[in-house]
Amino acid sequence: MVTLRDLEAALATALETAGRGHRGANPLVGACILDQDGNLIATGYHLGAGHPHAEVDALRRLGTLNSATARTLTMVVTLEPCNHTGRTGPCAKAIADAGIGTVYYAVSDNTAASGGAQYLRSRGITTHRLDDDAAARALNHRWFLSKKQQRPFITVKLAQSLDARINAPDGTSQWITSEQSRNHAHGLRSRVDGILVGTTTALFDNPRLSARTKDGQLHSKQPYRLVMGHRELPSTLDLIRGDDWEQIKTHDVHEVIQRANELGLAHLLIEGGATVASAFIEADLADELYCYQAPLLIGAGSSSVNLPTTTLSQAHRYRLDTASNDSLTRLGEDIMLHLEPLPRA
Amino acid sequence: MVTLRDLEAALATALETAGRGHRGANPLVGACILDQDGNLIATGYHLGAGHPHAEVDALRRLGTLNSATARTLTMVVTLEPCNHTGRTGPCAKAIADAGIGTVYYAVSDNTAASGGAQYLRSRGITTHRLDDDAAARALNHRWFLSKKQQRPFITVKLAQSLDARINAPDGTSQWITSEQSRNHAHGLRSRVDGILVGTTTALFDNPRLSARTKDGQLHSKQPYRLVMGHRELPSTLDLIRGDDWEQIKTHDVHEVIQRANELGLAHLLIEGGATVASAFIEADLADELYCYQAPLLIGAGSSSVNLPTTTLSQAHRYRLDTASNDSLTRLGEDIMLHLEPLPRA
């Protein structure tokens, strides 16, 4: 018999397993499968958009089952199984096809992918929502908000010195962060749908905004490149090569989001500069921050973030995203913090 | 028989053990004791000024020995045993009195405590310096520099937001960092001989500069309180209570150091504000940094460090002090970095 205690332990394991993935176009999700005595026999997680969902990942690890055995199994998932064919097929159908007898999930899906629980019940599977879903909700609180606000999930990258400078007064800034940090940031680029920079960054740094491996090869998935601002971009800029880019002539972050939605960009990475990053932070549109810090004190030059704050209570508060496995990491000589905004009370 | 390989392994262990202590008035030191077959039978380390030295700590863990056994033992120390009676007795004598047969040490002591090896030999103990002392030298590279420069070991504390602000534009700054960070900083205060602040910090924040426990009790050791700068200090200031304080009417860090030397302060903590901390950093007098970061973006207000840098190559470079066991730590919601300046090439 599977006890309530077994279910609680399975949910805790599923939450921890979920942290191995990356939040973005899709939420973090973890799944566990228990046998009829409540023993954990498989776990699964969702690595990120384009990869198998957690339920399918867990089922895959089980191997082939006969239907009598499958019927005795219980799946515990941090999020209601999807009922939606996106880059992968619907999980509810995969669970039903595998013949699993019972499903518990923590958080209801109220997005376009909802309806999984209802579908499972229609296929004769005992399906319940777990009562205590606070941790599972916290796991994706900003992702749910981005869906509610009908906009991309937004990642802001800050790369700075210990004293939060992004350059010296004469503009020198190249290689503030380590090679390992830059490789990590390229991994981030390879997971998003679009990258945004301001015209100043485009003109001054002339970035390619491509996602490259350590060896300089292009990742299989490349982000769409967006430049925000009014200044003219010369055709010699590196990011202008190819068709997958455009300039959005605005200083309004909401116009950028509208255009990202039109383009179907579900995960947007804000690469800077400080003005663009600050505009998204100030508008409470930064769903997560990656803050790369190089161990140096520059002592002058531009700050990574500038906000119209006058008093401390207006500061934007975050927490280490400890649901993810990368919340505080050394990258060569650098450190990296992965943060999320504190949920509203 | 004790092989070269045993000695190398013992030195590595001694170096790792050394990291459990705190550098300051005294260096980090670790010691291992090997039996006649090269087996590790005890380790010791120096917690910090006023605590037993590593060699004595290791001997103490051995318990009582008969002289025949003691004679077969080998001690491996990261630093030449001291020959100096300070807050504790000389280690060279303690080792000889314990009857240890052989001593290997990595780095020669060229400070006032030198002469330990010579003393050991005079007592008939086989004593050698190990050839490969690079790691043992790196362990205390800034401590050796401070001794060479005949000045206190200097710790600079920075407490800032993620964007390196220490207040908002209206001056609000209280409790930027977490309770755990503040407790940690009080531990730091309890280990130093003197604390320095500038007059602006003294006047504006009115700190007590006492070292207090989590419960608000005074630590047994309290630092001498120094205020640097010319502005008049009203007698109502909290730090002025008692006799253990003085104002040094200068903006010159070298005058502060001269006075600290006269006062016999072997470990000085620079608590700020930004101008005072920056002056020590700019003069390359910060032997270590503790950088407390609260997970918030203020976006405006004063920076933790201001230097006359114009180009990136002038930046001050550090590395996580990974010889210490506290180089990257979570303190409640905060993170703390313990850094040391990169050694000169």
Side-chain angles (χ1 to χ4, degrees), chain B residues 107-177:
Chain B
V107 176
S108 294
D109 190 341
N110 52 15
T111 70
S114 69
Q118 201 180 341
Y119 174 87
L120 287 169
R121 289 189 194 105
S122 78
R123 294 276 307 264
I125 295 163
T126 308
T127 305
H128 297 290
R129 195 170 76 74
L130 289 164
D131 274 344
D132 183 15
D133 65 349
R137 197 164 289 279
L139 185 66
N140 292 300
H141 76 102
R142 286 295 300 208
W143 186 86
F144 290 121
L145 181 69
S146 72
K147 289 294 154 192
K148 192 173 161 195
Q149 296 180 339
Q150 299 185 293
R151 58 167 181 81
F153 184 81
I154 296 173
T155 301
V156 172
K157 172 194 152 193
L158 303 175
Q160 61 185 44
S161 64
L162 276 179
D163 57 332
R165 317 280 181 176
I166 56 172
N167 57 29
D170 69 351
T172 44
S173 68
Q174 283 291 46
W175 318 127
I176 282 185
T177 50

Side-chain angles (χ1 to χ4, degrees), chain A residues 176-232:
Chain A
I176 282 185
T177 50
S178 70
E179 191 188 335
Q180 290 90 332
S181 288
R182 293 193 302 278
N183 288 337
H184 187 279
H186 275 283
L188 202 54
R189 285 182 176 178
S190 76
R191 295 198 303 270
V192 302
D193 301 310
I195 301 190
L196 177 74
V197 295
T199 48
T200 308
T201 298
L203 290 165
F204 197 87
D205 293 347
N206 191 19
R208 278 179 276 178
L209 300 187
S210 56
R212 299 186 294 278
T213 66
K214 215 155 61 170
D215 312 322
Q217 303 296 307
L218 291 174
H219 277 283
S220 57
K221 185 185 161 197
Q222 290 295 319
Y224 193 79
R225 308 184 295 283
L226 294 168
V227 185
M228 174 182 182
H230 292 283
R231 286 161 73 188
E232 203 70 42

Side-chain angles (χ1 to χ4, degrees), chain A residues 158 160 162-165 167-176 281 289 291 293 295-301 303-320 322 327-330 333-335 337 339 342, chain B residues 158 160 162-165 167-176 281 289 291 293 295-301 303-320 322 327-330 333-335 337 339 342:
Chain A
L158 303 174
Q160 60 184 47
L162 276 179
D163 57 331
R165 316 281 181 177
N167 56 30
D170 69 351
T172 44
S173 69
Q174 282 292 46
W175 318 127
I176 282 185
I281 288 165
L289 294 180
C291 182
Q293 297 187 6
L296 71 163
L297 293 171
I298 305 179
S303 292
S304 61
V305 174
N306 296 294
L307 304 171
T309 309
T310 57
T311 194
L312 194 59
S313 60
Q314 298 164 336
H316 291 254
R317 291 179 183 272
Y318 299 84
R319 64 180 178 200
L320 287 178
T322 48
S327 62
L328 183 59
T329 310
R330 291 187 60 190
E333 292 296 314
D334 294 355
I335 63 155
L337 286 70
L339 301 134
L342 280 187
Chain B
L158 303 175
Q160 61 185 44
L162 276 179
D163 57 332
R165 317 280 181 176
N167 57 29
D170 69 351
T172 44
S173 68
Q174 283 291 46
W175 318 127
I176 282 185
I281 288 165
L289 294 180
C291 182
Q293 297 187 6
L296 71 164
L297 293 171
I298 305 180
S303 292
S304 61
V305 174
N306 297 294
L307 304 171
T309 309
T310 57
T311 193
L312 194 60
S313 60
Q314 297 165 337
H316 291 254
R317 292 180 182 273
Y318 299 83
R319 64 180 179 199
L320 286 178
T322 48
S327 62
L328 183 59
T329 310
R330 290 186 60 189
E333 292 296 313
D334 294 356
I335 64 155
L337 286 71
L339 301 134
L342 279 188

Side-chain angles (χ1 to χ4, degrees), chain A residues 38-87:
Chain A
N39 301 308
L40 180 69
I41 56 171
T43 62
Y45 67 99
H46 178 49
L47 184 61
H51 293 272
H53 287 191
E55 301 92 323
V56 173
D57 187 45
L59 287 170
R60 207 171 50 174
R61 282 165 213 256
L62 265 193
T64 314
L65 293 172
N66 65 52
S67 62
T69 307
R71 203 70 203 157
T72 66
L73 302 183
T74 297
M75 182 180 278
V76 177
V77 201
T78 58
L79 179 66
E80 182 182 350
C82 76
N83 191 34
H84 169 260
T85 301
R87 297 185 228 205

